[in-house]
Amino acid sequence: MITGAHVVIHTRDAEADRAFLRDVLGWSHVDAGHGWLIFAAPPAEVACHPTGGEPAHELMLMCDDLDATAAELAAQGVEFS
């Protein structure tokens, strides 16, 4: 039985994205070596959607209280558009 999943985000600025997950979201992590951080993500879902264009990837984060979470993130410098 599958007991977990490993998600890889291909990015143009891995250092900045790692810092966001580590410092802003506060996700615990281990260093797999050479700065490759592996984060313990919260419970997750997986969905497959059809597309007529190029395949793409999305990361959606869930919370219990959107207003409180947005305020916490804004206090850490996160900008919402």
Side-chain angles (χ1 to χ4, degrees):
M1 182 54 86
I2 303 298
T3 60
H6 181 78
V7 176
V8 177
I9 299 173
H10 294 271
T11 174
R12 287 186 168 78
D13 194 345
E15 288 300 319
D17 294 334
R18 290 176 188 139
F20 178 79
L21 296 174
R22 181 190 61 225
D23 302 334
V24 177
L25 297 184
W27 288 4
S28 60
H29 61 279
V30 296
D31 189 330
H34 308 287
W36 289 78
L37 304 182
I38 306 296
F39 293 90
E45 301 172 337
V46 175
C48 297
H49 295 267
T51 181
E54 288 296 314
H57 306 283
E58 297 177 1
L59 173 64
M60 298 176 199
L61 303 174
M62 297 179 255
C63 62
D64 292 325
D65 185 332
L66 182 59
D67 292 330
T69 301
E72 290 173 14
L73 293 172
Q76 296 186 60
V78 175
E79 297 179 16
F80 296 89
S81 56

